[in-house]
Amino acid sequence: MCQVGEDYAEPASEEPPPRQPGREQKCVKCKEGLPVVVIRAGDAFCRDCFKAFYIHKFRAVLGKNRLIFPGEKVLLAWSGGPSSSSMVWQVLEGLSRESAKRLRFVPGIVCIDEGAACGLSPEARAKALAEMKLILQTVGFPWHVVALEEVFDLPPSVLRCFAQEPVGTEGAYKAAVDSFLQQQHVLGAEGAGDSPSLAQGEEQLSWPCTQDPQNPQSPDRPPTAAQTEALSRLFDSVKTLTAKEELLQALRTHLILHVARTHGYSKVMTGDSCTRLAIKLMTSLALGRGAFLAWDTGFSDERHGDVVVVRPMREHTLKEVAFYNHLFAVPSVFTPALDTKAPEKASIHRLMEAFMLRLQDQFPSTVSTVYRTSEKLVKAPRDGCAAGPPGPRCLLCMCALDIDTAGAALLSQGGPPSPRHRAAVLRLPCEHEGLALPGPPAALHLGRGPAPQPELLPQGLHRAADPGVPG
Amino acid sequence: MPAPQCATCHKARAALRRPRSGRALCGACFCAAFEAEVLHTVVAGRLLPPGAVVAVGASGGKDSTVLAHVLQVLAPRLGISLRLVAVDEGIGGYRDAALAAVRRQAARWELPLTVVAYADLFGGWTMDAVARSTAGSGRSRACCTFCGVLRRRALEEGARLVGATHIVTGHNADDMAETVLMNFLRGDAARLARGGGLGSPGEGGALPRCRPLQLASQKEVVLYAHFRRLDYFSEECVYAPEAFRGHARHLLKLLEAARPSAVLDLVHSAERLALAPAARPPAPGACSRCGALASRALCQACALLDGLNRGRPRLAIGKGRRGLDEAGPPRDGEPERAPAPDAVPAF
């Protein structure tokens, strides 16, 4: 309806007559097969053409943004849900010998068990874990199952920010591939057994449940009850569901990246689909993360320095993913998430999801329009902002701090705030709500007033903070 | 249980809690705080220098009424003088009642009032005529697109008539947040790139515009009008139910209920967006017909009117715009010609 640039030039009488549904309709691509699915507002595809279309899109996204080097170790983040399962299946098929132009990287799978945060009982968690292991064994890549409780054991070095490579140009890709292959060759010559992680001075923790298909007999060490208790306490201390979701995402990202670093993976692939990314974009807007949209929803996310997060499923809508999984029997595991069965108004994330899906019903181009806008975002501070040396980074999301330094003092309702009040409230950088650290007051934006009731981070995360980072 | 004491004067009983901070204040202290915040917005942003002649866009609704009242209170301190400019879009059954409210306000505040009408400025095209012209194709009427563009044009004209140096409008924080949401949902990268900030400084000869109420939440505007007993017109426009903004408004209300800071967070996000250079609008020039600020050969107002006069009202909306920039004046004998004979709007 109200899309900018929508073409209204032709008067209504020249509209093509509506297509007759029924026996006469054929696949729009090959014009022969019987269509089984309609995608993209009116295009009917037959089974084979749909499969070709789907696979082609996956390859095209990888090929267009030339970031994956041949022979590189890539970690696939699998949650058990439909999008990430589809991604794992695509990689599996893409690596098989029969496929044309087969993919040339070395995959591994990581799966984070978040049952403690979602309040699942140990039996439910064990059951879900067993189902997942079945599928992981079928897939056959080296896999790592990590419980979210491990986040308490993360070394402070995860918060250290590594130097970022600037985004390269065409010639840079070839040069990068060459240097990468050279590096691999050198490492192979030195006889290193496992590719050493690229970070210096990284501690090697003993990770439970790390499997190679060749030796499946490693002992299973579930997290201790004390750790589970600590994690539940952490999540209970966060008052709103919105903040819980954000915390979960931050912890999950840190954990996945640590697994990647420890085992020498230089890229991580996540299965965010087009629909999910559009919802994520709108949610980030509402949370005040406008400055970081390009990192949150773009194809590649290099803010962690050495490990790059890549989103190859970003052009597949949820509908396509669901139909593909159904038609081609892609296995997936359902695990309840933080907001399963939560009412619609419980968190910003739920609200946005419900809103976008409802709007999509009425205006079928909503998701693709938001996605196209996200493609126009660039990873740079807005013109006019200081382009000086990179400042300190947020502990949770590793983005540069985004605080108002407009110089306007806090305007309160009648008189300056008391010193005690000032000391207790620091609008946490990057707009993470519900979590506040004591410290000097930041210059707050005019008229916003003091932040809502702050809570302090529990001691566990204080320990994890690198003492060198401010706050 | 009796209400708590006012947190500021500690004398009167509190009459409300401020929506964002939860402080309990009595009516007088709240109004004083509201006025102080608007003053701070204007002074910190250097929006209205002393000696400015300020044209207030008055529609008779709550936002412009509160704006005019607050500016009147602050006028001696800021050293500005005010003029009321009301725009008559020609929407029957709505605008006439609103204008009556504006006239009452002008009489009460003793401010000079100028009314500019679409029918005079735009060759007889009232909003009702536009709605009739764009109706009937099964698609939406897109009335708000026309009304918004033409109203800004009309406001500029009215401001020039009264010799103003600045234009102020009563947009509040909720309006800004809705606009951000709407622009994202419609994929309007150009507006997103341009938006944010406290108004436009007035490039290319256009008068500088600003929005002093930009950081005030809608609830506070309504409360202020209540405590100061201001008389305003509170019905919604006849064409409002069709507007796309309704979706954004509904979403914003839900977001605000879930997290009160969402409104200002949206505005903050929009200020910090970084869009690719290709997505940004081109540097503005002048319209070839009327000389106003324009990014293309024709300014949007001239383009829209051209489409209306040619009997193809959607010509300037969307991709059809491309053919328009090279076009000449409209031909005679068009079936839906406006009643007035002059095709080119007389500015």
Side-chain angles (χ1 to χ4, degrees), chain A residues 389-417:
Chain A
R393 292 179 164 251
C394 171
L395 291 181
L396 290 171
C397 71
M398 306 302 290
C399 287
L401 290 188
D402 175 29
I403 14 182
D404 286 309
T405 49
L410 169 64
L411 184 81
S412 64
Q413 298 80 13

Side-chain angles (χ1 to χ4, degrees), chain A residues 320-338:
Chain A
E320 292 165 18
V321 168
F323 270 98
Y324 186 89
N325 289 3
H326 172 74
L327 288 173
F328 298 101
V330 173
S332 60
V333 178
F334 170 73
T335 42
L338 253 189

Side-chain angles (χ1 to χ4, degrees), chain A residues 79-296:
Chain A
S79 64
S83 305
S84 48
S85 304
S86 199
M87 176 182 74
V88 167
W89 213 251
Q90 288 296 306
V91 171
L92 181 64
E93 292 194 344
L95 286 173
S96 70
R97 302 215 171 265
E98 311 88 51
S99 75
K101 278 209 255 184
R102 65 186 187 103
L103 301 171
R104 295 183 296 160
F105 53 82
V106 178
I109 303 188
V110 67
C111 178
I112 310 277
D113 170 25
E114 297 166 2
C118 307
L120 289 183
S121 66
E123 298 81 31
R125 287 175 72 178
K127 185 163 160 298
L129 225 56
E131 283 180 46
M132 286 188 175
K133 284 188 184 154
L134 265 179
I135 301 182
L136 287 170
Q137 272 150 7
T138 327
V139 169
F141 300 149
W143 51 269
H144 318 264
V145 172
V146 184
L148 193 63
E149 286 88 335
E150 303 293 333
V151 79
F152 289 122
D153 294 330
L154 287 180
S157 52
V158 297
L159 297 173
R160 196 195 315 149
C161 183
F162 300 94
Q164 283 194 356
E165 321 262 316
V167 179
T169 57
E170 270 300 312
Y173 177 69
K174 284 207 174 345
V177 173
D178 288 338
S179 76
F180 173 77
L181 290 174
Q182 228 172 29
Q183 204 178 42
Q184 293 296 84
H185 182 72
V186 163
L187 291 172
E190 281 174 14
D194 195 21
S195 297
S197 66
L198 300 172
Q200 300 306 318
E202 195 69 53
E203 309 146 31
Q204 290 286 334
L205 298 178
S206 61
W207 288 93
C209 299
T210 296
Q211 299 284 4
D212 243 324
Q214 283 78 30
N215 51 334
Q217 298 305 323
S218 308
D220 219 322
R221 185 167 65 84
T224 66
Q227 282 179 319
T228 311
E229 173 68 32
L231 195 69
S232 311
R233 249 205 330 267
L234 172 64
F235 273 86
D236 284 337
S237 74
V238 179
K239 299 252 167 47
T240 61
L241 187 58
T242 309
K244 278 191 217 203
E245 291 257 9
E246 290 290 301
L247 179 63
L248 181 61
Q249 278 176 26
L251 294 179
R252 185 198 296 154
T253 311
H254 278 298
L255 201 52
I256 292 181
L257 287 168
H258 188 77
V259 172
R261 283 191 188 115
T262 340
H263 295 271
Y265 293 97
S266 48
K267 299 268 183 337
V268 173
M269 274 195 191
T270 61
D272 295 308
S273 61
C274 183
T275 316
R276 283 274 160 240
L277 281 178
I279 296 173
K280 184 165 187 191
L281 189 137
M282 298 298 292
T283 311
S284 300
L285 262 190
L287 291 172
R289 294 183 61 88
F292 315 122
L293 287 180
W295 285 279
D296 282 345

Side-chain angles (χ1 to χ4, degrees), chain B residues 293-342:
Chain B
L293 201 63
S295 317
R296 292 173 252 213
L298 282 182
C299 69
Q300 185 74 353
C302 288
L304 286 174
L305 287 165
D306 214 19
L308 284 172
N309 286 328
R310 287 211 225 164
R312 294 172 61 196
R314 295 184 193 277
L315 192 59
I317 304 179
K319 298 199 182 103
R321 180 84 201 246
R322 283 192 210 125
L324 190 60
D325 293 336
E326 299 86 20
R331 299 171 287 275
D332 280 321
E334 286 291 338
E336 273 165 282
R337 272 290 292 275
D342 52 335

Side-chain angles (χ1 to χ4, degrees), chain A residues 377-397:
Chain A
L377 296 165
V378 293
K379 295 172 185 162
R382 193 177 172 124
D383 296 340
C385 293
R393 292 179 164 251
C394 171
L395 291 181
L396 290 171
C397 71

